[in-house]
Amino acid sequence: MAPNNPRYNSIPAFHEKLLKSKRILAICGAGLSAASGLPTFRGAGGLWRNHEATSLATPAAFEDNPGLVWLFYAYRRHMALTAQPNAGHHALAALARKLPGGFLCLSQNVDGLHPRAGHPAEQLRLLHGSLFDIKCNEYCGWIQRDNFDDPFCPALAAASVDVNPGETLPLLDPGQPLAEIPRKEIPKCPNCTAGLQRPGVVWFYESLDEEMMSGVDRWIKDEPVDVVLVIGTSSQVYPAAGYAEKARGKNTSVVTVNLEPEGEVKLARKQDFVFAGDAAVLLPQLLEPIIGKPRRDGTYTP
């Protein structure tokens, strides 16, 4: 890479920009939660047991085999509940509190770690929903927020089993037979009684919440955005991937924070920055001029 900004990876140079910034947008992906021990959505090799993980995240898959799909999501719920927000989550939450009118975080993550880090809800948009919201698969409008039951229902108990380090969870072993979960054992929607309860996440072939997206667009257009933080994402999933350019103005700096080697990231403009490494390590350093230093437990003074 031949960057046109010789200070493209200089933290002091970024601090100069940050201290002049009044409005900051963050776009977060699965890499942010990696330090909390959560695997990416697709998992190692893209498989969950012998299933393509992406093939389980569709309305058609749920209609065909709701028990199997729920096992996949019940396992993800259990993993997320046993994980803890990392220093990156806490740094973003602290930034939100310091800039109540000037910071908005768009997250593709459904693991619930942003809210658990104390990120103000009014400055957080969960683009793909949450593992801990439950809704009706018949789209009757019923939704339950913040359901942390683990297991979600008795039929899914196998997804909430903990094993010793080095052991393989039977649920994840393709060689272990998987008992079929009948539809009747999945809780029904209490509103319409015709539908089944499903995870409140956005599946493939489903649209993101239009009201939420309109609100994000209004926030971006309201005033110039000085800094866009692109954190732990390959910027390949839309519409999230398009927000960096949508928010870019004449003086906007797009700042990439990712584990990817710096050479794989293209700097579009001379004011852009790239920081290669763990977001949980880098974000507290990058945001320190505004949020200060963390306490011993990694959190910040409210």
Coordinates of all heavy atoms in Angstrom, one line a residue, residues 176-250:
Q176 N -22.4 -36.9 16.5 CA -23.5 -37.2 17.5 C -24.8 -37.0 16.8 O -25.1 -35.9 16.2 CB -23.3 -36.3 18.7 CG -22.0 -36.5 19.4 CD -22.1 -37.7 20.4 OE1 -23.2 -38.2 20.6 NE2 -21.0 -38.1 20.8
P177 N -25.7 -37.9 17.0 CA -27.1 -37.8 16.4 C -27.8 -36.6 17.1 O -27.6 -36.4 18.3 CB -27.8 -39.1 16.7 CG -27.0 -39.7 17.8 CD -25.6 -39.2 17.6
L178 N -28.6 -35.9 16.3 CA -29.4 -34.8 16.8 C -30.8 -35.1 16.8 O -31.4 -35.3 15.8 CB -29.1 -33.6 16.0 CG -29.6 -32.2 16.5 CD1 -28.9 -31.9 17.8 CD2 -29.3 -31.1 15.4
A179 N -31.4 -35.1 18.0 CA -32.8 -35.5 18.1 C -33.7 -34.3 17.5 O -33.4 -33.1 17.7 CB -33.2 -35.7 19.5
E180 N -34.7 -34.7 16.7 CA -35.5 -33.7 16.0 C -36.4 -33.1 17.1 O -37.0 -33.7 17.9 CB -36.3 -34.3 14.9 CG -37.2 -33.3 14.2 CD -37.9 -33.9 13.0 OE1 -37.6 -35.1 12.7 OE2 -38.8 -33.2 12.4
I181 N -36.6 -31.7 17.0 CA -37.5 -31.0 17.9 C -38.8 -30.7 17.2 O -38.8 -30.0 16.2 CB -36.8 -29.7 18.4 CG1 -35.5 -30.0 19.1 CG2 -37.8 -28.9 19.2 CD1 -34.8 -28.8 19.5
P182 N -39.9 -31.3 17.6 CA -41.2 -31.1 16.9 C -41.6 -29.7 17.0 O -41.3 -28.9 18.0 CB -42.1 -32.0 17.7 CG -41.2 -33.0 18.4 CD -40.0 -32.3 18.7
R183 N -42.3 -29.2 16.0 CA -42.8 -27.8 16.0 C -43.7 -27.5 17.2 O -43.6 -26.4 17.7 CB -43.7 -27.6 14.7 CG -43.0 -27.7 13.4 CD -44.0 -27.5 12.3 NE -44.4 -26.2 12.2 CZ -43.8 -25.2 11.4 NH1 -42.7 -25.6 10.7 NH2 -44.2 -24.0 11.4
K184 N -44.4 -28.5 17.7 CA -45.3 -28.3 18.9 C -44.5 -27.9 20.1 O -45.1 -27.4 21.1 CB -46.2 -29.5 19.1 CG -45.4 -30.7 19.5 CD -46.3 -31.9 19.7 CE -45.6 -33.2 20.2 NZ -46.5 -34.3 20.4
E185 N -43.2 -28.2 20.1 CA -42.4 -27.9 21.3 C -41.7 -26.5 21.3 O -41.1 -26.1 22.2 CB -41.3 -28.9 21.5 CG -41.9 -30.3 21.9 CD -40.8 -31.3 22.3 OE1 -39.7 -30.9 22.7 OE2 -41.1 -32.5 22.2
I186 N -41.9 -25.8 20.1 CA -41.5 -24.4 20.0 C -42.6 -23.5 20.5 O -43.8 -23.7 20.1 CB -41.1 -24.1 18.6 CG1 -40.0 -25.0 18.1 CG2 -40.6 -22.6 18.5 CD1 -38.7 -25.0 18.8
P187 N -42.4 -22.6 21.4 CA -43.5 -21.7 21.9 C -44.2 -21.0 20.8 O -43.6 -20.5 19.9 CB -42.7 -20.8 22.9 CG -41.5 -21.5 23.3 CD -41.1 -22.3 22.1
K188 N -45.5 -20.9 21.0 CA -46.3 -20.2 20.0 C -46.4 -18.7 20.4 O -46.2 -18.3 21.5 CB -47.7 -20.8 20.0 CG -47.8 -22.2 19.3 CD -49.3 -22.6 19.1 CE -49.4 -23.9 18.4 NZ -50.8 -24.3 18.2
C189 N -46.7 -17.9 19.4 CA -46.9 -16.5 19.6 C -48.1 -16.3 20.5 O -49.2 -16.8 20.2 CB -47.2 -15.8 18.3 SG -47.7 -14.1 18.4
P190 N -48.0 -15.6 21.6 CA -49.1 -15.4 22.5 C -50.2 -14.4 22.0 O -51.3 -14.3 22.5 CB -48.5 -14.8 23.8 CG -47.2 -14.1 23.2 CD -46.8 -14.9 22.1
N191 N -49.8 -13.7 20.9 CA -50.8 -12.7 20.3 C -51.7 -13.3 19.3 O -52.9 -13.3 19.5 CB -50.0 -11.6 19.7 CG -50.9 -10.5 19.2 OD1 -51.7 -9.9 19.9 ND2 -50.7 -10.1 17.9
C192 N -51.2 -13.9 18.3 CA -52.0 -14.5 17.2 C -52.3 -16.0 17.4 O -53.2 -16.6 16.8 CB -51.4 -14.2 15.9 SG -49.9 -15.1 15.5
T193 N -51.4 -16.7 18.2 CA -51.4 -18.1 18.5 C -51.2 -19.0 17.2 O -51.2 -20.2 17.3 CB -52.7 -18.5 19.2 OG1 -53.8 -18.4 18.3 CG2 -53.0 -17.7 20.4
A194 N -51.1 -18.4 16.1 CA -50.9 -19.1 14.8 C -49.5 -19.3 14.5 O -49.0 -20.2 13.9 CB -51.7 -18.4 13.6
G195 N -48.7 -18.3 14.9 CA -47.3 -18.3 14.6 C -46.4 -18.9 15.7 O -46.9 -19.1 16.8
L196 N -45.2 -19.2 15.4 CA -44.2 -19.6 16.3 C -43.3 -18.4 16.8 O -43.1 -17.5 16.0 CB -43.3 -20.7 15.8 CG -44.0 -22.0 15.3 CD1 -43.0 -23.0 14.7 CD2 -44.7 -22.7 16.5
Q197 N -42.8 -18.5 18.0 CA -41.8 -17.5 18.4 C -40.5 -17.8 17.7 O -40.1 -19.0 17.7 CB -41.7 -17.6 19.9 CG -43.0 -17.2 20.7 CD -42.8 -17.1 22.2 OE1 -41.7 -16.8 22.7 NE2 -43.9 -17.4 22.9
R198 N -39.8 -16.8 17.3 CA -38.6 -16.9 16.6 C -37.6 -15.8 17.1 O -38.0 -14.8 17.7 CB -38.8 -16.7 15.1 CG -39.5 -15.4 14.7 CD -39.2 -15.0 13.2 NE -37.9 -14.3 13.1 CZ -37.5 -13.7 12.0 NH1 -38.3 -13.7 10.9 NH2 -36.3 -13.1 12.0
P199 N -36.3 -16.0 16.8 CA -35.3 -15.0 17.2 C -35.6 -13.6 16.5 O -36.0 -13.6 15.3 CB -34.0 -15.5 16.8 CG -34.2 -17.0 16.6 CD -35.7 -17.2 16.2
G200 N -35.5 -12.6 17.3 CA -35.7 -11.2 16.7 C -34.5 -10.6 16.0 O -34.1 -9.5 16.3
V201 N -34.0 -11.4 15.1 CA -32.9 -11.0 14.2 C -33.3 -10.9 12.8 O -34.4 -11.4 12.4 CB -31.7 -11.9 14.4 CG1 -31.2 -12.0 15.8 CG2 -32.1 -13.3 13.9
V202 N -32.5 -10.1 12.0 CA -32.9 -10.0 10.6 C -32.2 -11.1 9.8 O -31.0 -11.2 9.8 CB -32.4 -8.6 10.1 CG1 -32.7 -8.5 8.6 CG2 -33.0 -7.5 10.8
W203 N -33.0 -11.9 9.2 CA -32.5 -13.0 8.4 C -32.2 -12.6 7.0 O -32.7 -11.6 6.5 CB -33.5 -14.2 8.4 CG -33.4 -15.0 9.7 CD1 -32.4 -15.1 10.6 CD2 -34.5 -15.7 10.3 NE1 -32.8 -15.9 11.6 CE2 -34.1 -16.3 11.5 CE3 -35.9 -15.9 9.9 CZ2 -34.9 -17.1 12.3 CZ3 -36.7 -16.7 10.7 CH2 -36.2 -17.3 11.9
F204 N -31.4 -13.4 6.3 CA -31.3 -13.2 4.8 C -32.7 -13.2 4.2 O -33.6 -14.0 4.6 CB -30.4 -14.3 4.2 CG -29.0 -14.2 4.6 CD1 -28.5 -15.1 5.6 CD2 -28.1 -13.3 4.1 CE1 -27.1 -15.0 6.0 CE2 -26.8 -13.2 4.5 CZ -26.3 -14.1 5.4
Y205 N -32.8 -12.3 3.2 CA -34.0 -12.1 2.4 C -35.1 -11.3 3.2 O -36.2 -11.2 2.8 CB -34.6 -13.5 2.0 CG -33.7 -14.3 1.3 CD1 -33.3 -15.6 1.9 CD2 -33.1 -14.0 0.1 CE1 -32.3 -16.4 1.2 CE2 -32.1 -14.8 -0.5 CZ -31.8 -16.0 0.1 OH -30.8 -16.8 -0.5
E206 N -34.7 -10.8 4.4 CA -35.6 -9.9 5.1 C -35.0 -8.5 5.1 O -33.8 -8.3 5.0 CB -35.7 -10.4 6.6 CG -36.5 -11.7 6.7 CD -36.7 -12.1 8.2 OE1 -35.8 -11.8 9.0 OE2 -37.7 -12.7 8.5
S207 N -35.9 -7.5 5.2 CA -35.5 -6.1 5.2 C -35.2 -5.6 6.6 O -35.8 -6.1 7.6 CB -36.6 -5.3 4.5 OG -36.8 -5.7 3.2
L208 N -34.3 -4.7 6.7 CA -34.0 -4.0 7.9 C -35.2 -3.1 8.3 O -36.0 -2.7 7.4 CB -32.7 -3.2 7.9 CG -31.5 -4.0 8.2 CD1 -31.2 -5.1 7.2 CD2 -30.3 -3.0 8.3
D209 N -35.3 -2.7 9.5 CA -36.4 -1.9 10.0 C -36.4 -0.5 9.2 O -35.4 0.2 9.4 CB -36.3 -1.7 11.5 CG -37.5 -0.9 12.0 OD1 -37.4 0.4 12.0 OD2 -38.5 -1.5 12.5
E210 N -37.4 -0.2 8.5 CA -37.4 1.0 7.7 C -37.4 2.3 8.5 O -36.7 3.3 8.2 CB -38.6 1.0 6.7 CG -38.6 0.0 5.7 CD -39.8 0.0 4.7 OE1 -40.6 1.0 4.8 OE2 -39.9 -0.8 3.8
E211 N -38.1 2.3 9.6 CA -38.2 3.5 10.5 C -36.8 3.7 11.1 O -36.3 4.9 11.1 CB -39.2 3.3 11.6 CG -39.3 4.5 12.5 CD -40.4 4.4 13.5 OE1 -41.2 3.4 13.4 OE2 -40.5 5.2 14.4
M212 N -36.1 2.7 11.5 CA -34.8 2.8 12.1 C -33.8 3.4 11.0 O -33.0 4.3 11.3 CB -34.3 1.5 12.6 CG -32.8 1.5 13.1 SD -32.2 -0.1 13.6 CE -32.3 -1.0 12.0
M213 N -33.9 2.8 9.8 CA -33.0 3.2 8.7 C -33.2 4.7 8.3 O -32.2 5.4 8.1 CB -33.1 2.3 7.5 CG -32.9 0.8 7.8 SD -31.4 0.4 8.7 CE -30.2 0.7 7.4
S214 N -34.5 5.1 8.3 CA -34.8 6.5 8.0 C -34.2 7.4 9.0 O -33.7 8.5 8.7 CB -36.3 6.7 7.9 OG -36.8 5.9 6.8
G215 N -34.3 7.0 10.3 CA -33.7 7.8 11.4 C -32.2 7.9 11.3 O -31.6 9.0 11.5
V216 N -31.5 6.8 10.9 CA -30.1 6.9 10.7 C -29.7 7.9 9.5 O -28.8 8.7 9.6 CB -29.5 5.5 10.3 CG1 -28.0 5.6 10.0 CG2 -29.7 4.6 11.6
D217 N -30.5 7.8 8.4 CA -30.3 8.7 7.3 C -30.5 10.2 7.7 O -29.7 11.0 7.3 CB -31.2 8.4 6.2 CG -30.8 7.1 5.5 OD1 -29.7 6.6 5.6 OD2 -31.7 6.5 4.8
R218 N -31.5 10.4 8.5 CA -31.7 11.8 9.0 C -30.6 12.3 9.9 O -30.2 13.4 9.8 CB -33.0 11.9 9.8 CG -34.3 11.7 8.9 CD -35.5 12.1 9.7 NE -35.8 11.3 10.8 CZ -36.5 10.2 10.8 NH1 -37.0 9.8 9.7 NH2 -36.7 9.5 11.9
W219 N -30.1 11.4 10.7 CA -29.0 11.8 11.6 C -27.7 12.2 10.8 O -27.0 13.2 11.0 CB -28.6 10.7 12.6 CG -27.7 11.1 13.7 CD1 -28.0 11.6 14.9 CD2 -26.2 11.0 13.6 NE1 -26.8 11.8 15.6 CE2 -25.7 11.5 14.8 CE3 -25.3 10.6 12.6 CZ2 -24.4 11.6 15.1 CZ3 -23.9 10.7 12.9 CH2 -23.5 11.2 14.2
I220 N -27.4 11.4 9.8 CA -26.3 11.6 8.9 C -26.4 12.9 8.1 O -25.5 13.7 8.0 CB -26.1 10.4 7.9 CG1 -25.6 9.2 8.7 CG2 -25.1 10.8 6.8 CD1 -25.5 7.9 7.9
K221 N -27.6 13.2 7.7 CA -27.9 14.4 6.8 C -28.0 15.7 7.7 O -27.9 16.8 7.1 CB -29.1 14.2 6.0 CG -28.9 13.1 4.9 CD -30.2 12.9 4.1 CE -30.1 11.8 3.1 NZ -31.4 11.5 2.4
D222 N -28.3 15.5 8.9 CA -28.6 16.6 9.8 C -27.4 17.6 9.8 O -27.6 18.9 9.7 CB -29.0 16.2 11.2 CG -29.5 17.3 12.1 OD1 -30.3 18.1 11.5 OD2 -29.1 17.4 13.2
E223 N -26.2 17.1 10.1 CA -25.0 18.0 10.1 C -23.9 17.1 9.6 O -23.9 15.9 9.6 CB -24.8 18.4 11.6 CG -25.8 19.4 12.2 CD -25.4 19.8 13.6 OE1 -24.2 20.2 13.8 OE2 -26.3 19.7 14.5
P224 N -22.8 17.8 9.2 CA -21.6 17.1 8.7 C -21.1 16.1 9.8 O -21.0 16.4 11.0 CB -20.6 18.2 8.4 CG -21.4 19.4 8.2 CD -22.6 19.3 9.1
V225 N -20.6 14.9 9.3 CA -20.0 13.9 10.2 C -18.5 14.1 10.0 O -17.9 14.0 8.9 CB -20.4 12.5 9.8 CG1 -19.7 11.5 10.6 CG2 -22.0 12.4 9.9
D226 N -17.8 14.3 11.1 CA -16.4 14.5 11.1 C -15.6 13.2 11.0 O -14.5 13.2 10.4 CB -16.0 15.3 12.3 CG -16.7 16.6 12.4 OD1 -16.5 17.5 11.5 OD2 -17.4 16.8 13.4
V227 N -16.0 12.2 11.7 CA -15.3 10.9 11.8 C -16.2 9.8 11.7 O -17.3 9.8 12.3 CB -14.5 10.8 13.1 CG1 -13.9 9.4 13.3 CG2 -13.3 11.8 13.2
V228 N -15.9 8.8 10.8 CA -16.6 7.5 10.8 C -15.6 6.4 11.2 O -14.6 6.2 10.6 CB -17.1 7.2 9.3 CG1 -17.8 5.9 9.3 CG2 -18.0 8.4 8.9
L229 N -16.0 5.8 12.3 CA -15.2 4.6 12.8 C -15.8 3.3 12.2 O -16.9 3.0 12.5 CB -15.2 4.6 14.3 CG -14.7 5.8 15.1 CD1 -15.1 5.7 16.5 CD2 -13.2 5.9 14.9
V230 N -15.0 2.6 11.4 CA -15.4 1.3 10.9 C -14.7 0.3 11.7 O -13.4 0.1 11.5 CB -15.1 1.3 9.4 CG1 -15.6 -0.1 8.8 CG2 -15.7 2.4 8.6
I231 N -15.4 -0.5 12.5 CA -14.7 -1.3 13.5 C -15.1 -2.8 13.4 O -16.3 -3.2 13.4 CB -15.2 -0.8 15.0 CG1 -14.9 0.6 15.2 CG2 -14.5 -1.7 16.0 CD1 -15.7 1.2 16.3
G232 N -14.1 -3.6 13.2 CA -14.3 -5.0 13.2 C -15.2 -5.6 12.1 O -15.9 -6.5 12.3
T233 N -15.2 -4.9 10.9 CA -16.1 -5.4 9.9 C -15.4 -5.3 8.5 O -14.5 -4.4 8.3 CB -17.4 -4.6 9.8 OG1 -18.1 -5.0 8.7 CG2 -17.1 -3.1 9.7
S234 N -15.7 -6.3 7.7 CA -15.1 -6.3 6.3 C -15.8 -5.4 5.4 O -15.4 -5.3 4.2 CB -15.1 -7.7 5.8 OG -16.5 -8.2 5.7
S235 N -16.9 -4.8 5.8 CA -17.7 -3.8 5.0 C -18.1 -4.5 3.7 O -18.1 -3.9 2.6 CB -16.8 -2.6 4.7 OG -16.5 -1.8 5.9
Q236 N -18.7 -5.7 3.9 CA -19.2 -6.4 2.7 C -20.7 -6.6 2.8 O -21.3 -7.0 1.8 CB -18.5 -7.7 2.6 CG -17.0 -7.6 2.3 CD -16.4 -9.0 2.1 OE1 -17.0 -10.0 2.4 NE2 -15.1 -9.0 1.8
V237 N -21.3 -6.4 3.9 CA -22.8 -6.6 4.1 C -23.5 -5.2 4.1 O -23.2 -4.3 4.8 CB -23.0 -7.3 5.5 CG1 -24.5 -7.5 5.7 CG2 -22.3 -8.7 5.5
Y238 N -24.4 -5.1 3.2 CA -25.1 -3.9 3.0 C -26.5 -4.0 3.7 O -27.0 -5.1 3.9 CB -25.3 -3.6 1.5 CG -24.1 -3.0 0.9 CD1 -23.1 -3.9 0.4 CD2 -23.9 -1.7 0.7 CE1 -21.9 -3.4 -0.1 CE2 -22.7 -1.2 0.1 CZ -21.7 -2.1 -0.3 OH -20.6 -1.6 -0.8
P239 N -27.1 -2.9 4.2 CA -26.6 -1.5 3.9 C -25.5 -1.0 4.8 O -25.0 0.1 4.6 CB -27.9 -0.7 4.1 CG -28.6 -1.5 5.2 CD -28.4 -2.9 4.9
A240 N -25.1 -1.7 5.9 CA -24.1 -1.2 6.8 C -22.9 -0.8 6.1 O -22.2 0.2 6.4 CB -23.8 -2.3 7.8
A241 N -22.5 -1.6 5.1 CA -21.2 -1.3 4.4 C -21.2 0.0 3.6 O -20.2 0.6 3.3 CB -20.9 -2.4 3.4
G242 N -22.4 0.6 3.3 CA -22.5 1.8 2.6 C -22.5 3.1 3.4 O -22.4 4.2 2.9
Y243 N -22.6 2.9 4.7 CA -22.8 4.1 5.6 C -21.5 4.9 5.7 O -21.6 6.2 5.8 CB -23.3 3.7 7.0 CG -24.8 3.6 7.0 CD1 -25.4 2.4 7.3 CD2 -25.6 4.7 6.7 CE1 -26.8 2.2 7.3 CE2 -27.0 4.6 6.8 CZ -27.5 3.3 7.1 OH -28.9 3.2 7.1
A244 N -20.4 4.3 5.5 CA -19.1 5.1 5.6 C -19.1 6.2 4.5 O -18.8 7.3 4.7 CB -17.9 4.2 5.6
E245 N -19.4 5.7 3.3 CA -19.4 6.7 2.2 C -20.6 7.6 2.2 O -20.6 8.8 1.8 CB -19.4 5.9 0.8 CG -18.1 5.2 0.6 CD -16.9 6.2 0.7 OE1 -17.0 7.3 0.1 OE2 -15.9 5.8 1.4
K246 N -21.8 7.1 2.7 CA -22.9 8.0 2.8 C -22.7 9.1 3.8 O -23.2 10.2 3.6 CB -24.1 7.1 3.3 CG -25.4 7.9 3.3 CD -26.6 7.0 3.7 CE -27.0 6.1 2.6 NZ -28.3 5.4 2.9
A247 N -21.9 8.9 4.8 CA -21.6 9.9 5.8 C -20.4 10.7 5.4 O -20.2 11.7 6.1 CB -21.4 9.2 7.2
R248 N -19.7 10.4 4.4 CA -18.5 11.1 4.1 C -18.8 12.5 3.4 O -19.5 12.6 2.5 CB -17.6 10.3 3.1 CG -16.3 10.9 2.9 CD -15.6 10.2 1.7 NE -15.0 8.9 2.0 CZ -13.8 8.7 2.6 NH1 -13.1 9.8 3.0 NH2 -13.4 7.5 2.8
G249 N -18.2 13.5 4.1 CA -18.2 14.8 3.5 C -16.8 15.2 3.1 O -15.9 14.4 3.1
K250 N -16.6 16.5 2.8 CA -15.4 17.0 2.3 C -14.2 16.7 3.3 O -13.1 16.4 2.9 CB -15.5 18.5 1.9 CG -14.2 19.1 1.4 CD -14.4 20.6 1.1 CE -13.1 21.2 0.6 NZ -13.2 22.6 0.3

